[in-house]
């Protein structure tokens, strides 16, 4: 199996520090911000120009133990939960939406093993995810099904020896071209209990990355195709029971995908806000900074209000998730509001910067291109609204935050 290059010394020192009980969220935010400014920002221009997948930075981020932020310490992770995960993603996305997206995609890939894996699978995989040796993904979406998960066409046929043979194409898979272990959901039978999840190592025969796509933004991040052509996986790679694939897909999307994309949108929103404020101070018209013009001040006030609301909803939802409080609706609403308000602020920023906003040096056009990617992932805004309507009408059947144990409660099994 392909491994990330050896960062063992760096990794052990950083993980020891990350696990320190004295490290609080403020320290974590400072550490991630420092890293993002010093190590990520210098690569942003290059990522935009080359539009190639940025493997080196992904390795550095993984080496810091941040992919394992929700993995319990008993399995080598940071054991810090969803609030800390949001801090990490937000701070990376503030500097590079692509690296925020990269981190969230593999943190999302952790969920299926953490919540549905056997004790043996947890012991085998989680320490390696936490150490940054291997990047996991989750591959559910297909060209023909999209948000209609049950419409998927990929199959996993059980063979006489108990192994499964996978065939089909997944698309829009976060970290598709750099991930090492793919969490693939495929059809093993008819109906809603006919989906099953598997771990497929990237170098397994019959598993190949396909097109990397022609994305508008998040350059440096891959979310392309994975093609399975007679790919045989042993039964020991099955995650959860046969027929539990829909639970794996929905719970990962609700409890990890939504807050993760919320955090990416929040980080980009923060960057839009900071850059716009700076511009309105720097740009002078009529002998004064344009911040003094009433139309500009109004837009800044609205932007500030949107950002504050978006931030409150983002952190309230994950605080509830960490606290074991039922919060599916809060997670949906946080995703909806963060995506929509970041898009609105990007447009407002473009109006404020006017011609300058169209220039690459100012980054606003990058933020706009990047933030549109948070819109479809983990459910479009309309899908969030539809689910929220189901909650309002008492018809929502998910309640994943009640049904899936908190990540720290997974600890008991590690002993
Ligand atoms: C940056 C990024 C990262 C991603 N990462 C992953 C990943 O790691 N793994 C993975 O498996 N997938 C991933 N995806 C895919 C993502 O989950 C899908 O884009 C999403 O599920 C929507 O599918 P779709 O884009 O095919 O749109 P469709 O599902 O085809 O939607 C088309 C339209 O139909 C509407 N619609 C859909 N369902 C309903 C409904 N029930 N009622 C009314 N209207 C509806 C939608 O709102 C939309 O307007 C990622 C996508 C992006 C952009």
């Amino acid at each position: 199996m392909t491994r990330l290059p050896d960062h063992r010394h760096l990794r052990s020192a950083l993980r020891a520090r990350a696990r320190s009980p004295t490290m609080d969220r403020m320290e974590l935010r400072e550490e991630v911000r420092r890293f993002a400014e010093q190590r990520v920002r210098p690569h942003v221009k290059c990522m935009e120009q080359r539009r190639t997948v940025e493997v080196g930075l992904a390795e550095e981020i993984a080496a810091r133990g941040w992919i394992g932020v929700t993995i319990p310490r008993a399995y080598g992770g940071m054991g810090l939960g969803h609030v800390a995960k949001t801090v990490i993603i937000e701070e990376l996305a503030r500097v590079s939406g692509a690296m925020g997206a990269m981190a969230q995609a593999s943190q999302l890939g952790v969920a299926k093993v953490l919540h549905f894996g056997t004790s043996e699978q947890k012991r085998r995989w989680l320490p390696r995810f936490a150490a940054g040796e291997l990047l996991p993904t989750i591959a559910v979406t297909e060209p023909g099904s999209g948000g209609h998960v049950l419409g998927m066409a990929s199959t996993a046929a059980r063979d006489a020896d108990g192994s499964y043979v996978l065939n089909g194409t997944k698309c829009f898979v976060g970290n598709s071209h750099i991930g090492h272990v793919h969490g693939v959901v495929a059809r093993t039978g008819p109906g809603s209990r006919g989906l099953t999840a598997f771990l497929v190592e990237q170098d397994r025969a019959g598993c190949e990355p396909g097109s990397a796509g022609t994305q508008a933004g998040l350059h440096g991040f891959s979310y392309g195709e994975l093609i399975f052509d007679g790919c045989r996986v042993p039964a020991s790679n099955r995650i959860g029971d046969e027929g539990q694939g829909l639970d794996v897909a929905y719970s990962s999307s609700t409890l990890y995908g939504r807050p993760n994309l919320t955090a990416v949108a929040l980080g980009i929103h923060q960057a839009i806000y900071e850059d716009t404020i700076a511009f309105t101070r720097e740009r002078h018209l009529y002998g004064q900074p344009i911040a003094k013009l009433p139309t500009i001040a109004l837009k800044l006030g609205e932007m500030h209000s949107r950002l504050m609301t978006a931030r409150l909803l983002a952190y309230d939802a994950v605080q509830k998730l960490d606290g074991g409080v039922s919060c599916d609706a809060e997670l949906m609403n946080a995703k909806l509001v963060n995506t929509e308000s970041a898009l609105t602020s990007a447009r407002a920023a473009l109006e404020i910067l006017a011609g300058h906003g169209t220039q690459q040096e100012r980054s606003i056009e990058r933020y706009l291109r990047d933030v549109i990617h948070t819109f479809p992932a983990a459910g479009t805004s309309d899908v969030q609204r539809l689910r929220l309507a189901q909650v309002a009408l008492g018809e929502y059947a998910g309640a994943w935050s009640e049904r899936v144990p908190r990540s720290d409660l997974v600890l008991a099994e590690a002993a």
Side-chain angles (χ1 to χ4, degrees), residues 331-375:
L331 293 165
M332 294 165 197
N333 191 41
K335 160 79 169 49
L336 172 65
V337 171
N338 268 274
T339 299
E340 292 293 330
S341 61
L343 266 166
T344 306
S345 287
R347 192 209 148 116
L350 280 170
E351 286 181 28
I352 292 171
L353 271 80
H356 301 273
T358 66
Q359 301 299 297
Q360 290 182 354
E361 298 77 52
R362 289 292 176 178
S363 299
I364 297 292
E365 57 85 39
R366 167 168 66 92
Y367 301 145
L368 178 65
R369 284 186 288 107
D370 285 355
V371 85
I372 59 171
H373 294 72
T374 67
F375 172 75

Side-chain angles (χ1 to χ4, degrees), residues 290-305:
I290 62 165
K292 300 286 179 202
L293 296 173
T295 52
I296 303 289
L298 198 68
K299 285 188 179 61
L300 288 183
E302 284 172 347
M303 193 183 289
H304 195 164
S305 167

Side-chain angles (χ1 to χ4, degrees), residues 3-19 59-66 76 127-134:
R3 278 162 171 255
L4 296 174
D6 198 350
H7 287 297
R8 254 172 292 181
H9 300 303
L10 174 67
R11 221 161 24 219
S12 58
L14 291 167
R15 276 167 51 229
R17 197 145 57 89
R19 285 179 196 162
E59 290 168 358
E60 276 196 56
I61 289 165
R64 300 187 83 85
W66 291 337
R128 302 175 79 189
F129 298 160
E133 285 176 18
L134 302 174

Side-chain angles (χ1 to χ4, degrees), residues 138-141 146-147 172-174 218 221 223 373 376-378 380 382-383 386:
I138 185 144
V140 176
T141 308
F172 302 149
V173 177
L218 293 184
F221 168 62
Y223 67 104
H373 294 72
T380 59
D382 276 350
V383 166
L386 286 169

